[in-house]
C-alpha cells in the first residue's frame, strides 16, 4: 500500500497490547504481504505461551454465543483473550478488530479482548492458510487464551484440530446431523463435548447417545486415557460455562502431564513447515522451463502419450536442473 | 496379495469389456498397489474417449436416482456407461462392481454398465485420490460415458469439476440450502442445472431464483458464452431426463467448438501430474535425514527458536542434498 512498515516496532507495540498494531500485523500476514517473512521471524521468539482452544460444530448449535460466553468467563478470571472467527460465509475479512460480529459486541470495548474475523480464501470450508500466523500474532500480543471458532463444514472441523491445543465440539439437542457428524469423525477430534441449548427437549438423549459412542471409540494416548467430558450448557444464559472452563483446564493439565501438549505443538509446527515447503515447491514446479514444463507434460498426458506418474517423475526431475 | 498380476493381459481383458478385469484394475489403482504405475502406463494409450459427467448437489436432491435415470437413458441410446459413486459416508469401497447401491440394482445385470463405489480415503468430503485412475480404467474399458456422482459436501463439489468434462449441479425445490450452496460457489462450477423433484411445490420458484443468480454471474469463455441451461426433472419417473441428455450433448458440442474440451482435459492432466509430483516431494521431505529433518525443525519452531518460513527454506534446501 506504499505505507512504510516498521515490523520490529509493530511487534513491540503488539506485545504491549496495542490493538492497532495487532490488527496491522494480522493484516500483513493475511494479505501475504512482502513483510510476511519478517513478521513471522519477529514473532517467533514471543510465541508458545497462549492456550489455543478450537470450537467447532454444525451451524445452529450456538458456536458464536458459546464463544462469547467463554470470552466473558476468561475475562472474569483476568485472562487476556483473542478470538479468531474463521467464517467462509463472510464476504469480508480483516478490518474490524473491534467486534464485527453481533454476538461479540459485548466485548467490543474491552481492551483485554482481540477479535478478528478471517475469511477463508479460496474454496468452501477450510481454515484460512493465514490462521496459524494470525494465531502467532495474538500469542505474541500476550493473549493467555486464543479461541478459534470455525463454521461446521467438514474439512474445517478437521483443520481446527491441527491448530488447537484443545478442541471443543458443540452439539445441540434434536439435531440429528450433530450425531451424524459425530459418527463421521467428530468423535476422534473432540477433547471436550459441549451439549448446548441443554434447556431444550432431547438434551439428555443427546448426552446418552454421545456417551454410548464415546464408549465405543475411546482414545488412548501413550497408554493413558483422556475421558472426553460432556458438559451441558445454555450459553445464552452462561449456564454451564464455568464447567466448560474447568473441563478445558483439566484437559490442559492432563496434556501437560502426559507430554501431549508438546506433542501436539510439535505436530502443528511440522504440518505448518511442510505446508509452506510444499507451497514453495509447487510454485517452483509451475515455474519450470518458464512455466512451460507442466503445460507440455499435461498436453502429453491428455493425449494419452504419457501416463501421469511418468510425467510427474519428469517434472520432479526438473527441480534438480 | 501374492496373486500374480499380468497387467497387460488385464488391460486387454478390460478393453474387451470383461467386468472382472475392470474391477481388478480399479482395485489395483485404488489400493495403490505396486502395480499402480504399470497399470497407469498400460492404460494411457487407450484413454481420452469417454465423456466424463460429474453430478453433484446437496444430500436429498436425488443424485442416485438421477444417476440411475441417466444410465437408463444412455443405455437406451446404445452407450456403454461407467458410474463412479464417490461416497465418503460409505464404510466400504471396491468389491461390488455389480450394484452395491440399491438405486443401481436396475443396472446390476446389464453387461453394458460398470458401477463402482469408491470410499474417500482420509477425511470428510473430497474425492478419492484414486478416482482419476479409476476413470481411466473405465475409459479404456470402452465406456462412452462415465458418470461421477459425489456427495454434496463442499470440497467434493469443487473437486468433481477437476475431473469432469461437464458438471451437473442438482437442486430440489424448497431446499433453501440448495440455493445457499449455489451462492457459495456452485454457480461457477455448474455447466448444467437440474431442478429435480419438479413435481413438488416451489419448483418454479427455484428455477426463477437460479435464473436470477445466473444473470448476475454469467461465465464467459474465450469470448463466447455458455448459457447454463436449467432442466426440470422428476428422476424417479424419468421425466425430463431426455432433456438433460440433450443439454449434456449441447454442452459437449459447444465445448468442442470452442476448444474448451481440450482446455479442460489439459487442466485436468496438469492438476493430476502436479498432485502426484507434490505427493512424491512430500514423501521425500518426510524422508530427509532419515526422517529426522522435519521433526527437528518442528521442534525448533514449536519452541520459538525458528519461524516456520525459515524452517521451510531449510527443509526445501535439503532436497538438493
Amino acid at each position: 500500500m506504499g505505507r512504510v512498515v516498521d515490523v520490529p516496532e509493530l511487534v513491540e507495540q503488539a506485545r504491549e497490547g496495542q490493538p492497532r498494531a495487532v490488527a496491522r500485523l494480522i493484516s500483513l500476514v493475511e494479505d501475504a504481504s512482502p513483510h510476511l517473512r519478517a513478521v513471522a521471524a519477529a514473532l517467533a521468539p514471543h510465541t508458545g505461551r497462549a492456550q489455543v482452544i478450537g470450537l467447532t460444530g454444525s451451524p445452529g448449535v450456538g458456536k458464536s454465543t458459546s464463544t462469547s460466553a467463554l470470552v466473558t468467563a476468561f475475562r472474569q478470571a483476568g485472562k487476556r483473550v483473542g478470538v479468531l472467527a474463521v467464517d467462509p460465509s463472510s464476504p469480508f475479512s480483516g478490518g474490524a478488530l473491534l467486534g464485527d460480529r453481533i454476538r461479540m459486541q459485548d466485548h467490543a470495548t474491552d481492551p483485554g479482548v482481540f477479535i478478528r474475523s478471517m475469511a477463508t480464501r479460496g474454496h468452501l470450508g477450510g481454515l484460512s492458510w493465514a490462521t496459524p500466523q494470525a494465531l502467532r500474532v495474538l500469542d505474541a500480543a500476550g493473549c493467555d487464551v486464543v479461541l478459534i471458532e470455525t463454521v461446521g463444514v467438514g474439512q474445517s472441523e478437521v483443520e481446527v484440530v491441527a491448530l488447537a491445543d484443545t478442541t471443543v465440539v458443540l452439539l445441540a439437542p434434536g439435531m440429528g446431523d450433530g450425531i451424524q457428524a459425530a459418527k463421521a469423525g467428530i468423535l476422534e477430534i473432540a477433547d471436550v463435548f459441549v451439549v448446548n441449548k441443554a434447556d431444550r427437549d432431547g438434551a439428555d438423549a443427546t448426552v446418552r447417545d454421545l456417551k454410548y459412542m464415546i464408549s465405543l471409540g475411546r482414545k488412548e494416548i501413550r497408554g493413558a486415557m483422556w475421558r472426553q467430558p460432556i458438559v451441558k450448557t445454555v450459553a445464552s444464559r452462561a449456564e454451564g460455562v464455568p464447567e466448560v472452563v474447568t473441563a478445558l483446564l483439566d484437559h490442559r493439565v492432563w496434556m501437560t502431564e502426559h507430554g501431549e501438549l508438546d506433542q501436539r505443538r510439535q505436530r502443528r509446527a511440522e504440518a505448518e513447515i511442510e505446508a509452506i515447503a510444499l507451497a514453495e515447491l509447487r510454485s517452483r514446479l509451475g515455474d519450470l522451463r518458464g512455466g512451460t514444463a507442466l503445460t507440455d507434460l499435461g498436453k502429453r498426458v491428455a493425449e494419452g502419450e504419457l501416463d501421469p506418474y511418468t510425467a510427474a517423475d519428469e517434472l520432479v526431475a526438473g527441480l534438480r536442473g
Side-chain angles (χ1 to χ4, degrees), chain A:
Chain A
M1 309 284 215
R3 265 199 287 175
V4 176
V5 176
D6 184 338
V7 170
E9 167 132 356
L10 275 176
V11 170
E12 202 43 55
Q13 290 169 347
R15 293 187 61 208
E16 291 163 8
Q18 294 185 25
R20 289 176 61 110
V22 173
R24 192 71 209 291
L25 285 171
I26 294 183
S27 293
L28 288 176
V29 299
E30 199 174 31
D31 299 342
S33 84
H35 303 285
L36 174 59
R37 283 168 167 267
V39 171
L43 290 174
H46 310 297
T47 56
R49 218 178 53 81
Q51 180 179 6
V52 184
I53 297 165
L55 287 103
T56 188
S58 301
V61 296
K63 282 192 297 294
S64 293
T65 313
S66 297
T67 302
S68 185
L70 279 171
V71 170
T72 303
F74 284 121
R75 289 299 294 143
Q76 283 166 354
K79 308 279 187 190
R80 187 182 288 192
V81 184
V83 177
L84 289 175
V86 182
D87 184 0
S89 68
S90 168
F92 58 89
S93 77
L97 193 74
L98 294 173
D100 52 357
R101 293 154 58 89
I102 293 164
R103 306 282 189 193
M104 294 293 163
Q105 294 294 4
D106 297 347
H107 309 290
T109 55
D110 180 344
V113 181
F114 300 101
I115 298 169
R116 180 74 166 214
S117 279
M118 305 192 77
T120 55
R121 313 264 153 147
H123 288 309
L124 309 157
L127 284 176
S128 163
W129 56 266
T131 309
Q133 288 306 320
L135 188 60
R136 283 202 178 81
V137 173
L138 294 173
D139 189 355
C143 289
D144 302 289
V145 176
V146 178
L147 299 167
I148 306 179
E149 178 198 334
T150 66
V151 297
V153 182
Q155 199 52 33
S156 66
E157 293 169 338
V158 175
E159 289 175 23
V160 73
V161 183
L163 292 173
D165 299 329
T166 298
T167 299
V168 178
V169 172
L170 286 116
L171 300 165
M175 296 184 67
D177 53 323
I179 300 290
Q180 288 301 65
K183 281 183 188 160
I186 285 231
L187 261 184
E188 290 145 49
I189 70 173
D191 298 307
V192 174
F193 285 104
V194 170
V195 176
N196 190 33
K197 305 185 181 181
D199 52 346
R200 292 198 185 170
D201 284 348
D204 289 332
T206 301
V207 170
R208 203 167 48 236
D209 287 355
L210 262 180
K211 275 190 181 152
Y212 175 67
M213 282 194 298
I214 290 171
S215 73
L216 296 179
R218 287 222 164 276
K219 64 176 175 185
E220 198 163 320
I221 292 168
R222 298 159 153 263
M225 200 92 104
W226 167 249
R227 298 187 169 267
Q228 296 153 297
I230 304 171
V231 185
K232 288 199 284 186
T233 62
V234 184
S236 57
R237 296 197 303 259
E239 288 174 26
V241 174
E243 287 78 4
V244 177
V245 171
T246 302
L248 293 170
L249 187 64
D250 286 349
H251 184 241
R252 188 174 175 87
V253 168
W254 183 90
M255 280 199 299
T256 307
E257 283 174 356
H258 292 85
E260 176 67 8
L261 186 60
D262 288 342
Q263 286 277 329
R264 287 193 181 192
R265 293 184 163 195
Q266 162 98 24
R267 284 199 300 268
R268 189 198 302 175
E270 287 179 17
E272 194 182 0
I273 295 165
E274 190 181 64
I276 295 168
L278 285 172
E280 167 65 21
L281 288 167
R282 182 179 188 164
S283 157
R284 289 192 197 176
L285 290 178
D287 289 343
L288 284 179
R289 289 212 314 270
T292 63
L294 183 55
T295 314
D296 292 347
L297 289 166
K299 198 164 190 303
R300 290 168 65 194
V301 168
E303 287 169 357
E305 192 192 313
L306 205 65
D307 74 85
Y309 292 89
T310 307
D313 288 345
E314 285 194 25
L315 195 66
V316 169
L319 281 182
R320 301 238 164 228

